[in-house]
Amino acid sequence: MEDIDREADAEDLGGARRERSLHKVVHLLEIGRFEAAEHEVRALLAEAPEDPSLLALLARIEVDQGHSEDGLATALEALARDAQDVEALHVAADASAALGRNTEAERHFLEALALDPVDAGLLFGYANLMFKTGKLDKAERLAQRVLALSPESAGAHQLASLVAARRREGREARSRGQQGLARAPDESVSHLVQGHACLASGRPFAARRHLRAAVSADPANQTVREAFEEADRACRVVYLPAYYLSLVFDRVPGSNFILWGVFLVMMFVMERAGVPENVAMPIVLAYVGLCIYSWVAEPIVKLWVKILPPR
Amino acid sequence: MCPGSTSDDAARRASREIWDAPASDVDLFAPSLDERDDSEGFGTAFDPRSLWFACFFGGPVAATILFALNARRLGQPKQVVPLALGFLAVTFATLTVGTYVAMTGAGADATADASLGRNVRMGTRIVGLALGGVGYFLQRRRFELYLGEGREPAKALLPCIGVIVLSALVSLVWVSVAAVFFVVA
């Protein structure tokens, strides 16, 4: 009897210690100390190497540190022990997507959603995968599902904004971006998405304002910095007409080549129609000037930015 | 959580909504991707729009070389051979027919000859443009995936100029061979 009591006490202590360790891991992850969190999880795994939830947690830490191959291997190990571990499926999906194995990622997402269809995180991850692979309708519908479950999800609004921007629905993109920004005003990604929406819809100065705020929030992020530089270039006088031209040509099949194509057709038609030279020449010269400007505007503004860097 | 709490109710409603979804929403949880949507195997690819532009100057030979090369860089090695063979067939048919038309249409009138030559060259360029359009539509989706991975397109200007020059040489050789054949025949 005393032995049974002693065993039960030991189990209780072990369980309490594990709980404390897991809380410590969560805290370490919140403050970004991934290596320390990994060390804690490995210590727990040393005591319980077959625990799929610990393996899934370790896999998540590895993926968040950018070690996607290792994270995928660990997640698959967790799934070998428990094929219905939703967190392991989620991590396997994220790791596969990071490695470019999108079909495999989709398979893991769908398996996880079959087990837990109301997990907003899973739906959001799947929506991101659909956006990345160009399935915009599905991405939008999934984002709506996330919002139905979690209306305050800034990420879902941001994703909906990106979808609208890619479809060239400027107003919708800005509206969604604004909703994302209202829910997460201090996050760099909110300003980045809204800046992107403004830039895609003909508002380069508003875009530059938002992207400047994004850089202030996250100065080390290279993606944000590049987006700010792109918006700044669009605001420069020498490039502004080319920026608006590009917005028009992006909506036309063949893009910039339409400009040159129209030029060739115009030459052909004027020659056949016998247009007088004193009329044709100024038109041709002006059009050639426009074509050349569309070609050289970007190198010129890049040089201009080197002389007068953005503030 | 107490039974009947707000978040439990919301989750149950959402779950019912998802599983009692109308038929149009069932596809939301059906697989949408195939191996063409995997981002593996990417090299440094060209923008298919830039290649399309080069096809006007380089003709169908340039279209064949550029889009076959780009298929490999977009991680589609299985597409390289069928695409190259298909484009080559159109290319050599175009050059052969163009040579035949130019030779049979040639006569004593130099102006008519010059006009015929111009039309044959323009026809070759139009075929090049058409092949470029086919290549663009075949590679557009894959290139969007490439951009979605955050990759930058490769600089196309110098490679395109090189291919245009090479295309001119290849076309010259083929046209000469075809002309000799037609003369002998």
Side-chain angles (χ1 to χ4, degrees):
Chain A
M1 197 61 176
E2 281 181 4
D3 288 341
I4 291 170
D5 284 341
R6 246 184 262 123
E7 274 178 25
D9 285 344
E11 270 182 30
D12 286 342
L13 278 172
R17 197 171 63 237
R18 181 193 153 105
E19 280 300 310
R20 274 201 305 276
S21 289
L22 285 173
H23 277 122
K24 187 176 174 186
V25 167
V26 168
H27 175 66
L28 287 167
L29 288 174
E30 279 171 2
I31 61 173
R33 290 185 55 191
F34 294 107
E35 284 180 16
E38 186 178 342
H39 181 76
E40 280 293 321
V41 173
R42 286 195 186 279
L44 286 169
L45 269 169
E47 292 170 16
E50 302 292 313
D51 188 336
S53 61
L54 285 177
L55 285 167
L57 181 57
L58 177 62
R60 171 59 68 196
I61 294 170
E62 286 171 335
V63 170
D64 286 349
Q65 289 186 86
H67 306 144
S68 300
E69 286 273 10
D70 293 337
L72 181 60
T74 309
L76 291 176
E77 211 181 312
L79 288 169
R81 284 154 180 76
D82 180 3
Q84 303 205 323
D85 187 319
V86 174
E87 178 56 22
L89 283 166
H90 193 173
V91 178
D94 286 343
S96 299
L99 292 167
R101 298 174 200 166
N102 296 324
T103 40
E104 196 180 319
E106 184 183 40
R107 186 167 50 82
H108 290 308
F109 271 125
L110 290 175
E111 280 175 29
L113 283 166
L115 293 165
D116 188 357
V118 294
D119 185 328
L122 275 174
L123 285 165
F124 182 64
Y126 189 34
N128 263 319
L129 179 66
M130 290 297 104
F131 176 74
K132 188 176 103 159
T133 51
K135 309 282 187 281
L136 298 182
D137 286 344
K138 196 163 176 178
E140 187 185 21
R141 286 161 67 200
L142 285 163
Q144 295 303 325
R145 289 278 173 158
V146 174
L147 288 169
L149 289 166
S150 178
E152 294 303 305
S153 167
H157 284 293
Q158 287 157 6
L159 181 61
S161 172
L162 290 173
V163 168
R166 196 177 284 191
R167 286 187 177 139
R168 298 187 177 90
E169 295 165 0
R171 196 171 294 176
E172 177 69 12
R174 290 197 307 276
S175 166
R176 289 291 187 180
Q178 192 56 45
Q179 290 184 52
L181 195 57
R183 284 157 177 82
D186 298 325
E187 281 183 26
S188 161
V189 68
S190 302
H191 287 284
L192 177 66
V193 168
Q194 184 63 348
H196 176 71
C198 290
L199 198 61
S201 56
R203 303 200 174 188
F205 296 96
R208 186 170 61 176
R209 239 185 357 262
H210 282 292
L211 290 165
R212 189 178 278 126
V215 170
S216 302
D218 191 0
N221 191 322
Q222 189 58 25
T223 304
V224 169
R225 186 154 283 281
E226 284 170 7
F228 168 67
E229 286 168 3
E230 186 188 343
D232 181 69
R233 280 198 295 273
C235 295
R236 303 289 179 132
V237 167
V238 69
Y239 191 72
L240 201 55
Y243 161 71
Y244 283 112
L245 267 177
S246 69
L247 284 183
V248 171
F249 290 128
D250 275 349
R251 293 169 186 268
V252 172
S255 191
N256 291 52
F257 305 121
I258 290 293
L259 197 63
W260 292 96
V262 166
F263 172 69
L264 293 168
V265 167
M266 192 174 65
M267 293 282 292
F268 182 77
V269 165
M270 284 200 298
E271 188 188 333
R272 289 295 166 110
V275 174
E277 207 173 296
N278 59 344
V279 173
M281 191 54 71
I283 295 173
V284 167
L285 284 176
Y287 203 81
V288 167
L290 181 66
C291 292
I292 292 173
Y293 168 74
S294 74
W295 214 10
V296 303
E298 195 167 338
I300 288 177
V301 78
K302 281 181 178 170
L303 182 64
W304 188 250
V305 165
K306 282 196 176 125
I307 299 168
L308 287 176
R311 282 171 287 142
Chain B
M1 286 284 175
C2 300
S5 67
T6 308
S7 58
D8 276 355
D9 287 343
R12 275 195 290 273
R13 274 198 298 277
S15 176
R16 269 203 305 278
E17 188 193 337
I18 288 169
W19 292 109
D20 294 345
S24 60
D25 279 354
V26 170
D27 64 331
L28 205 57
F29 299 100
S32 306
L33 305 179
D34 56 41
E35 60 175 19
R36 288 175 297 173
D37 297 300
D38 283 337
S39 316
E40 293 175 296
F42 284 137
T44 314
F46 300 114
D47 185 342
R49 292 184 301 184
S50 305
L51 302 185
W52 193 359
F53 187 53
C55 291
F56 176 76
F57 296 100
V61 177
T64 307
I65 297 170
L66 288 169
F67 282 100
L69 190 64
N70 210 33
R72 202 158 58 99
R73 289 175 173 224
L74 285 171
Q76 294 178 302
K78 289 182 194 168
Q79 268 209 11
V80 174
V81 170
L83 186 144
L85 286 177
F87 277 31
L88 269 175
V90 173
T91 299
F92 289 129
T94 305
L95 292 176
T96 307
V97 167
T99 309
Y100 180 76
V101 166
M103 288 183 68
T104 55
D109 186 348
T111 309
D113 281 352
S115 178
L116 178 65
R118 231 185 359 254
N119 288 341
V120 168
R121 281 195 298 278
M122 184 56 75
T124 310
R125 286 193 176 150
I126 288 170
V127 171
L129 258 185
L131 281 181
V134 170
Y136 167 75
F137 280 105
L138 284 175
Q139 294 184 351
R140 182 181 54 168
R141 174 176 161 183
R142 191 80 184 143
F143 186 69
E144 279 172 9
L145 193 62
Y146 175 88
L147 292 178
E149 288 290 315
R151 294 169 181 264
E152 293 287 326
K155 300 280 182 216
L157 182 64
L158 287 178
C160 284
I161 290 173
V163 168
I164 288 168
V165 169
L166 180 64
S167 305
L169 291 171
V170 168
S171 302
L172 184 64
V173 166
W174 182 258
V175 164
S176 306
V177 165
V180 164
F181 174 78
F182 287 131
V183 164
V184 166

